[in-house]
Amino acid sequence: GETIDDSSKQIESMDATREMVDSWTDLQPAFPYSEKFISTEGFKIIGTELYRNVGLAIACVGLIVFLTIGNIIAAAIITVNVAFCIIEILGFMFALGIVIDSVSVINIVLAVGLSIDYSAHVGHCFMTKGGSDKNERATESLADMGASVLNGALSTFLAVAVLLFSTSYVFKTLATQFALTVGLGVLHGLVLLPVVLSLIGP
């Protein structure tokens, strides 16, 4: 027969086959099995796993940032900053044709931990600055931490840059998503976050 390439149709086919076998009441109890069902089961739950795992990761990041910075407003701004970064990574994945599968979902969850690094350093430095002028505090934070954060981002990018030329799907996807994480993470940490902190920061 014709091979079904669309994952949603594979899921529908698997569920329909199971329902059909379950509806047979005049036979001994049985269940359908196929090697394809292993990957199809993954496709069936991958969306739920993505939302759950990324949501839990962002929640944990928010809690840890709050405990280390000690200000709920700054922690909320940093956490939302990271959430925006993840949303943008997903958007770029769609534009680049990277599908949601077990490889990309693992990298997205890792991206939460990588992207918080850039924002947390700037946010923490902002909170340690004295004075009531938030614009000045944001500027001083960038002066103190900007170069270090940028160097960290550059070293992380160089660590995976060679994998961008790999022919392996796993390595190429990993490198692409890490490059997106580094690029968007440093933009959020050094451009967006200081502006937001200078406007509505504590």
Side-chain angles (χ1 to χ4, degrees), residues 82 86 89 106-116 177-178 181:
V82 172
I86 299 302
I89 291 172
I106 290 170
N107 291 331
I108 293 169
V109 176
L110 289 174
V112 177
L114 287 172
S115 58
I116 184 59
Q177 288 185 275
F178 268 50
T181 302

Side-chain angles (χ1 to χ4, degrees), residues 85-202:
C85 185
I86 299 302
I87 292 170
E88 289 168 20
I89 291 172
L90 290 169
F92 273 100
M93 284 172 56
F94 177 79
L96 295 172
I98 300 176
V99 298
I100 299 296
D101 58 16
S102 57
V103 176
S104 61
V105 166
I106 290 170
N107 291 331
I108 293 169
V109 176
L110 289 174
V112 177
L114 287 172
S115 58
I116 184 59
D117 190 37
Y118 314 114
S119 298
H121 285 303
V122 175
H124 180 265
C125 191
F126 177 85
M127 292 303 299
T128 60
K129 299 299 178 184
S132 58
D133 190 340
K134 289 184 284 189
N135 284 324
E136 186 176 336
R137 290 167 63 198
T139 303
E140 291 177 359
S141 300
L142 284 177
D144 288 352
M145 295 301 301
S148 299
V149 170
L150 196 59
N151 287 336
L154 183 61
S155 63
T156 304
F157 174 76
L158 290 176
V160 297
V162 292
L163 296 178
L164 289 169
F165 306 101
S166 173
T167 56
S168 167
Y169 169 76
V170 174
F171 290 146
K172 192 172 182 64
T173 302
L174 169 74
T176 303
Q177 288 185 275
F178 268 50
L180 287 172
T181 302
V182 170
L184 294 172
V186 78
L187 280 174
H188 281 72
L190 297 182
V191 179
L192 178 61
L193 181 62
V195 174
V196 176
L197 287 172
S198 68
L199 292 175
I200 59 174

Side-chain angles (χ1 to χ4, degrees), residues 31-92:
F31 62 91
Y33 172 78
S34 169
E35 290 182 359
K36 290 289 185 183
F37 284 3
I38 298 173
S39 58
T40 306
E41 284 284 2
F43 293 140
K44 186 176 181 179
I45 66 169
I46 198 70
T48 304
E49 292 295 324
L50 170 64
Y51 292 129
R52 179 189 297 129
N53 293 337
V54 171
L56 288 172
I58 292 175
C60 290
V61 160
L63 177 62
I64 293 170
V65 169
F66 170 67
L67 293 175
T68 53
I69 291 181
N71 185 283
I72 193 167
I73 297 175
I77 292 173
I78 294 170
T79 305
V80 171
N81 198 48
V82 172
F84 285 164
C85 185
I86 299 302
I87 292 170
E88 289 168 20
I89 291 172
L90 290 169
F92 273 100

